Amino acid sequence: EEALMHLSQCRAQHQLMRAEALQRIDMKREEFSGQLLSIASESISELTASVHRASEPVLSMLKSACATGTKSAREAERIGVIGESLKEEVAAILSYKTQVAWGRLQGHAKARTQWLRDYAKAQQEESEAMLGAIRRSMGASLAQMHELEVEAESSLELAIQSEVNRAMETADARMDLVRQSAHAMERRISDTAEVLLSLLKYFRSKGGQAVIAKALTTPDSTQGKPGD
């Protein structure tokens, strides 16, 4: 009876150790999630800055060409080529930056997975040492010891596998944020360039400055004549 009571106390101690281990895993999960969110936010900021640096001069030139007209058809063609090239350049920048972001997120996910495995190994070694001490001091029945060992091993394996899966899922979710932002930026730049290029072509086909002047004065003519 004394041996069984001692075994029960050891089992309770063992379960407490497992609970503390799982609690630490939970805390590390929150830290890991925050790190991934920070990486995603930084990546989106870098995407925005890179696209702005590449697109702003070209979009400004297109806006200026639409507002002031061009000197020749050759110049309009040159500006149009630059505008078309901008879309390809932005797509290349976003592709590269998203790959970099994914690499960083994957790196953190792999580091998290490795930490989980190392931690699981350390916990398993500690459990085995405790169980060995129980065997030597108590000589408890093999059935009871087997039950305790299986319980400890299975709970740990399930927890670790769940955390490994969650780490990769979290990385994927954060990467989705980056991809969505990249897609939105690419669409915005492409749509803006398309509109400006269309306006530039239209103004060139209609005589440039004359059409612009007419477009600028048209709103005034819709105000109506005196006496209407």
Side-chain angles (χ1 to χ4, degrees), residues 32-95:
F32 168 72
S33 180
Q35 290 172 346
L36 290 190
L37 183 58
S38 177
I39 290 174
S41 298
E42 290 174 4
S43 298
I44 291 172
S45 295
E46 291 174 4
L47 286 174
T48 303
S50 297
V51 169
H52 179 77
R53 286 193 298 269
S55 64
E56 189 59 27
V58 178
L59 293 180
S60 295
M61 179 181 64
L62 289 174
K63 293 175 184 177
S64 177
C66 290
T68 62
T70 57
K71 297 179 180 179
S72 65
R74 183 177 180 180
E75 182 182 358
E77 182 179 356
R78 181 182 67 84
I79 294 174
V81 170
I82 294 174
E84 292 292 343
S85 298
L86 172 64
K87 294 184 287 184
E88 297 178 1
E89 181 181 359
V90 167
I93 290 173
L94 292 174
S95 176

Side-chain angles (χ1 to χ4, degrees), residues 135-210:
R135 290 191 189 95
R136 291 189 297 270
S137 63
M138 295 174 44
S141 68
L142 293 177
Q144 289 173 318
M145 294 304 303
H146 180 69
E147 179 185 358
L148 181 59
E149 289 172 350
V150 170
E151 179 186 359
E153 183 179 355
S154 62
S155 64
L156 181 63
E157 288 180 354
L158 290 174
I160 293 300
Q161 187 57 50
S162 176
E163 287 300 315
V164 169
N165 294 338
R166 184 176 297 181
M168 298 310 299
E169 290 171 359
T170 304
D172 288 338
R174 297 296 180 263
M175 189 60 204
D176 283 342
L177 296 177
V178 178
R179 291 193 184 101
Q180 290 170 11
S181 296
H183 180 68
M185 277 185 275
E186 184 174 6
R187 287 293 302 273
R188 179 176 60 82
I189 296 300
S190 179
D191 290 348
T192 302
E194 283 290 346
V195 169
L196 292 175
L197 287 170
S198 296
L199 287 174
L200 181 61
K201 291 176 181 178
Y202 174 75
F203 290 153
R204 283 299 308 169
S205 66
K206 297 299 182 179
Q209 292 281 10

